[in-house]
Amino acid sequence: MDFRGEAPRAYSTGSELGFYFNDTRYLSVWEMTFNGAAPVPLANELRFGGNALVFSMTNRDFQMIGDAGRIPRDTFLIRRVLAFYLDNVYETVEIKNFSSKTQTLQIEQWAGGRFDDIFEVRGFTRANRGRMLSPDDYVKGNERISTLQYEGLDHQVRKTFIHRYFEAEKVRVSPSLVGHFIRINVPRKETVSLKTVISFDHPSDGDFHGRVFGGLSVADQFEAMVQRREKALLSPLVVESDNAILNRAITNAKTDIHMLLTQGSNTDLYPYAGIPWFSAAFGRDGIITAYQLLPWYPSVARGVIDYALAHLGSKVDGFTDEQPGKVFHEMRRGEVCKTRELPFGPYYGSVDATPLLLVLLGEYIRWTHDKEKLLVWWPMVLRAMEWINKWGDFDGDGFVEYKQQSPRGLANQGWKDSHDSIMHSDGTLAEAPIRLCEVQGYVFQAKMVMAGLAKFLDQDELAAHFRKDALQLKERFREKFWDSQSNYIYLALDGTPRPCDVRSSNMGHCLWSQIVTPSQAADVSTILMSEFMFSGHGIRTLASQESSYNPLSYHNGSVWPHDNSLIMEGFRLYGQTAHLEKLALALIGVLESSNDFRLPELFCGFRKRGVEPPIPYEVACKPQAWAAGSVFLMLKSMLGISMDIDQSFLVFNSPLLTPKINTLEIKNLQGRNWEIDLVVRRAQHGTVVEIIRKTGDLRVLTVK
């Protein structure tokens, strides 16, 4: 019996699965059949920091090739290893025959794809598409190479190269789907391996395949390569506690950050936002992630600042919301954006990315004292500051606001960018231009940072100017955003102007920015940790008594770990230690109840019931960069770590370890010219910081 030419039934354009490269799905079909049947899955495992997938399978009961007999189920162990390194996919298929005689198998390998732009996969309908080109098939040395190719409306030809290291016969189905088959004899008790490399736009150079293609037999070599790359990209920092689950969470968070880091041509690092839908550079997400990773991994902050300033807005473009000095929101590289069918290549519809970049810059300089880079960046930094004062405050009322310009852009341009995320207490949506409370806090923070940096560069007059602007903004904010009767911060002021009088997590960011007084901070902290906002798993994005509250929504009642991590840092800055500990215990509880010891992008805001985990949000990204970064900012907030700008003192301000953590050991924490190892211990009358090793001129100060 011959099974050639039967296309896989799973081939469907409705599926979201596939191999993606540069915001394009290069392959939507990558399937293999054995004697015409799909294998039976047994187990799967994610290995090597997310860089490899191992699928263990067996065969179905199927008919023999050229014989009336049948091969019973469980005759073969089929192990399929997909390894991802740089821009290539390496596949090894190992077939072990457990029967007492040689078996003949016909294996079919199917590959297909229409080169869908990621926005097409997500549902965007295009009026026109490019054209599929005829696939190529040729032999080069010991490789049989097939090429699927598509010419887009942007005149770019995108190609998928499939390098097969085994003899195969091709069955052409269509330009978007090709199949190859091979008949192999698998001796009794022996294993046969089939090896394939997939590369995108350029053929693989073949230098790497020999090592990877040993499959599991050289797993240690592959893991070592991944670890070498991780060490090259991130510092050798080690953070360990006496809590095994927290240690797993720290390791997984570092792994996820490493997985999402992309290295540009100038060697700078940028953390892509999340998998699957946000595997791209996002301004706000990358900036907040880099902030969360300070002081632990400062190279990420340096890369993010470099990248953001290199793509700073230079002109006025109403389609992409670009303006001079503005930091981008989203950077896509697919055909739909290159042809300007959608505005995301890059898109600048973010009101907060620009001040947040300046906040990150200040924290980076504080920890690294990198004056050389600051001098290089300074002219562009001043342009970003000019955007805040001119374009950001386009109506001249002293607050930074936004209003959608692009017809295909975002209606809301803060971190809660859903169309219905900014509202009044009666549920009606806010009218533009909208002045978000947290954005004013970011701007205040940015101006205070700029004052400090200008003074650091001996520009005292400019420093005084920035500081004066910041303090004037703080006073205006107190007058317009503070509800003196209910003692909370309005979510926003809309264009009428009218306060958006709802209790939201946004006001927690105003603690982080320190735009409120200590007494206001105490009132805000109490509201944030009230039964209406604190679910037991974390602080909700919107209080449960608000009319727009929906615990199943994206932004109107869900819980976001990154949101909570910034609020924890705000609690630390205002000495709200009890609230900080309670919130930290909640997030540690989420990690304990997780099946993979990771924090997701978000989860539903239902009240915690016993030891049950939070209800997941269906399409939450995992890994997500700023969710992973939340673990590191949580640790920083708990320890109260800070550094003065002249790098004289490493300060632990009221450090705390929760009842679930008795010791926390930090090795290889580095600054400009110092390095330190220390242990933080929970004691009967507080927390003790013990220095184990120290190099350089650094003093450690613990404040209670």
Side-chain angles (χ1 to χ4, degrees):
M1 184 174 183
D2 196 330
F3 300 95
R4 283 180 290 176
E6 296 181 8
R9 296 178 181 178
Y11 180 47
S12 170
T13 57
S15 172
E16 298 159 347
L17 300 178
F19 292 127
Y20 290 77
F21 181 69
N22 284 343
D23 296 311
T24 302
R25 182 167 61 181
Y26 275 60
L27 280 179
S28 54
V29 174
W30 184 247
E31 299 184 11
M32 185 170 281
T33 62
F34 299 82
N35 287 17
V40 178
L42 299 176
N44 63 81
E45 182 183 0
L46 187 67
R47 303 187 66 180
F48 314 138
N51 289 273
L53 287 166
V54 181
F55 299 94
S56 296
M57 302 169 286
T58 189
N59 63 290
R60 302 178 185 277
D61 180 271
F62 50 53
Q63 187 172 341
M64 291 182 177
I65 298 293
D67 198 323
R70 300 188 68 80
I71 300 177
R73 176 175 167 145
D74 302 330
T75 297
F76 302 101
L77 173 64
I78 303 166
R79 187 164 285 174
R80 192 173 185 182
V81 183
L82 285 169
F84 307 92
Y85 190 78
L86 300 179
D87 291 334
N88 293 341
V89 181
Y90 302 87
E91 181 180 75
T92 299
V93 178
E94 296 178 336
I95 306 156
K96 183 167 185 177
N97 177 10
F98 284 97
S99 74
S100 58
K101 63 179 182 179
T102 297
Q103 299 287 357
T104 301
L105 287 177
Q106 178 171 295
I107 301 173
E108 298 182 1
Q109 187 186 66
W110 295 90
R114 299 174 62 249
F115 295 85
D116 306 294
D117 189 281
I118 192 168
F119 289 102
E120 290 183 274
V121 179
R122 296 177 65 180
F124 177 69
T125 301
R126 302 178 64 188
N128 298 292
R129 291 189 94 252
R131 63 191 182 100
M132 294 294 303
L133 305 178
S134 297
D136 287 337
D137 196 62
Y138 58 95
V139 177
K140 180 182 177 183
N142 66 334
E143 301 174 76
R144 177 174 291 279
I145 302 173
S146 299
T147 305
L148 295 169
Q149 44 195 353
Y150 165 81
E151 183 179 10
L153 298 180
D154 58 353
H155 307 297
Q156 177 180 340
V157 176
R158 294 168 171 85
K159 297 182 179 181
T160 302
F161 291 87
I162 302 164
H163 306 252
R164 296 176 179 86
Y165 293 86
F166 52 86
E167 293 293 332
E169 188 174 327
K170 185 173 75 169
V171 179
R172 179 178 296 177
V173 177
S174 73
S176 61
L177 179 66
V178 296
H180 285 73
F181 82 95
I182 178 175
R183 286 186 179 176
I184 60 172
N185 293 320
V186 186
R188 60 183 295 274
K189 310 300 182 182
E190 296 292 330
T191 300
V192 173
S193 296
L194 303 177
K195 306 166 186 180
T196 309
V197 173
I198 308 170
S199 60
F200 307 104
D201 286 346
H202 303 285
S204 171
D205 58 18
D207 292 340
F208 185 54
H209 83 272
R211 286 182 289 169
V212 173
F213 275 150
L216 297 180
S217 62
V218 293
D220 291 340
Q221 294 183 40
F222 185 73
E223 185 171 23
M225 282 186 289
V226 172
Q227 289 177 345
R228 284 198 299 271
R229 182 172 183 265
E230 182 176 309
K231 288 179 181 179
L233 298 183
L234 298 174
S235 73
L237 176 82
V238 176
V239 181
E240 291 182 331
S241 75
D242 61 338
N243 184 312
I245 291 177
L246 180 61
N247 290 340
R248 283 286 301 275
I250 292 169
T251 299
N252 290 345
K254 182 178 179 180
T255 295
D256 290 347
I257 293 295
H258 173 252
M259 187 190 309
L260 293 166
L261 279 178
T262 297
Q263 195 165 13
S265 57
N266 59 352
T267 73
D268 289 330
L269 305 175
Y270 202 98
Y272 279 13
I275 296 173
W277 298 124
F278 304 117
S279 187
F282 281 73
R284 178 192 306 115
D285 299 58
I287 291 166
I288 289 178
T289 301
Y291 181 92
Q292 293 170 319
L293 296 178
L294 286 169
W296 318 109
Y297 301 111
S299 60
V300 178
R302 183 175 62 247
V304 167
I305 295 167
D306 255 337
Y307 189 90
L309 290 176
H311 295 89
L312 214 58
S314 60
K315 62 184 182 298
V316 177
D317 184 343
F319 184 68
T320 63
D321 280 338
E322 182 179 358
Q323 293 164 341
K326 193 176 186 181
V327 173
F328 77 97
H329 168 63
E330 180 176 355
M331 184 79 69
R332 296 287 187 173
R333 294 166 292 179
E335 177 189 1
V336 164
C337 294
K338 287 187 174 182
T339 56
R340 289 175 68 93
E341 296 169 65
L342 289 176
F344 301 107
Y347 176 60
Y348 287 83
S350 170
V351 71
D352 52 7
T354 308
L356 283 170
L357 181 68
L358 302 183
V359 172
L360 173 64
L361 172 65
E363 193 73 358
Y364 171 76
I365 296 299
R366 182 178 300 278
W367 283 104
T368 65
H369 221 258
D370 193 349
K371 191 172 185 178
E372 181 180 352
K373 286 295 285 186
L374 178 60
L375 288 170
V376 172
W377 290 333
W378 193 245
M380 293 174 286
V381 168
L382 292 177
R383 285 175 52 206
M385 194 73 238
E386 183 180 5
W387 178 86
I388 290 174
N389 291 325
K390 179 181 178 181
W391 299 94
D393 182 17
F394 57 80
D395 64 0
D397 68 346
F399 296 118
V400 170
E401 58 270 327
Y402 65 86
K403 183 177 183 179
Q404 179 182 355
Q405 301 296 322
S406 174
R408 292 189 177 273
L410 296 172
N412 284 316
Q413 298 182 2
W415 86 261
K416 295 179 180 177
D417 54 9
S418 302
H419 76 282
D420 60 349
S421 61
I422 310 300
M423 77 296 289
H424 297 281
S425 58
D426 61 2
T428 59
L429 299 183
E431 298 180 21
I434 295 172
R435 305 153 188 85
L436 293 169
C437 68
E438 77 273 16
V439 171
Q440 315 317 314
Y442 302 158
V443 171
F444 167 77
Q445 198 175 7
K447 291 185 175 183
M448 292 296 289
V449 161
M450 289 294 289
L453 293 177
K455 189 171 182 62
F456 181 60
L457 296 176
D458 298 319
Q459 300 181 21
D460 293 345
E461 186 175 344
L462 186 59
H465 170 71
F466 287 140
R467 180 175 175 81
K468 180 181 177 181
D469 274 1
L471 295 177
Q472 289 176 344
L473 171 58
K474 187 173 185 177
E475 182 62 24
R476 287 193 302 273
F477 182 86
R478 186 187 67 81
E479 293 174 357
K480 298 294 186 181
F481 279 84
W482 182 254
D483 187 316
S484 57
Q485 292 184 335
S486 299
N487 295 326
Y488 75 99
I489 300 169
Y490 297 132
L491 168 59
L493 304 178
D494 77 357
T496 52
R498 177 186 166 198
C500 296
D501 50 345
V502 295
R503 292 161 181 80
S504 69
S505 65
N506 301 55
M507 60 181 165
H509 294 219
C510 296
L511 304 183
W512 172 51
S513 68
Q514 301 182 80
I515 196 173
V516 295
T517 66
S519 63
Q520 290 172 333
D523 290 333
V524 169
S525 299
T526 299
I527 292 173
L528 289 170
M529 296 304 292
S530 69
E531 62 175 317
F532 302 109
M533 295 210 67
F534 181 66
S535 72
H537 295 298
I539 295 172
R540 301 180 176 107
T541 46
L542 194 66
S544 61
Q545 79 265 44
E546 301 295 348
S547 61
S548 296
Y549 168 73
N550 179 355
L552 294 164
S553 71
Y554 197 54
H555 286 132
N556 295 342
S558 54
V559 176
W560 289 65
H562 94 276
D563 186 30
N564 280 251
S565 74
L566 294 174
I567 294 173
M568 274 193 281
E569 184 72 346
F571 285 163
R572 177 186 74 83
L573 292 168
Y574 282 97
Q576 297 292 324
T577 306
H579 292 321
L580 170 57
E581 182 175 8
K582 185 176 181 181
L583 187 51
L585 282 169
L587 288 187
I588 292 172
V590 173
L591 289 168
E592 290 174 336
S593 65
S594 168
N595 59 6
D596 61 357
F597 309 107
R598 284 176 167 86
L599 294 173
E601 177 188 14
L602 74 156
F603 47 84
C604 295
F606 293 103
R607 176 153 299 282
K608 181 181 180 182
R609 296 181 181 275
V611 296
E612 292 182 4
I615 295 174
Y617 187 82
E618 183 181 8
V619 293
C621 288
K622 190 193 284 190
Q624 177 88 356
W626 63 13
S630 299
V631 175
F632 292 100
L633 185 53
M634 177 182 72
L635 293 175
K636 177 188 175 186
S637 300
M638 291 168 60
L639 298 177
I641 301 178
S642 64
M643 170 66 69
D644 62 331
I645 199 165
D646 65 3
Q647 294 258 310
S648 299
F649 289 98
L650 176 64
V651 180
F652 290 80
N653 193 346
S654 300
L656 71 90
L657 294 180
T658 74
K660 294 185 176 182
I661 308 170
N662 293 305
T663 62
L664 190 70
E665 185 175 4
I666 302 170
K667 296 180 182 178
N668 304 318
L669 183 63
Q670 300 173 352
R672 173 187 53 167
N673 57 6
W674 54 265
E675 186 173 303
I676 193 169
D677 298 345
L678 47 87
V679 176
V680 184
R681 290 190 174 90
R682 193 164 182 259
Q684 185 175 0
H685 301 291
T687 303
V688 177
V689 179
E690 178 183 355
I691 300 172
I692 305 301
R693 179 184 66 90
K694 181 172 72 72
T695 61
D697 185 18
L698 176 72
R699 287 172 287 180
V700 178
L701 180 64
T702 302
V703 180
K704 295 184 178 179

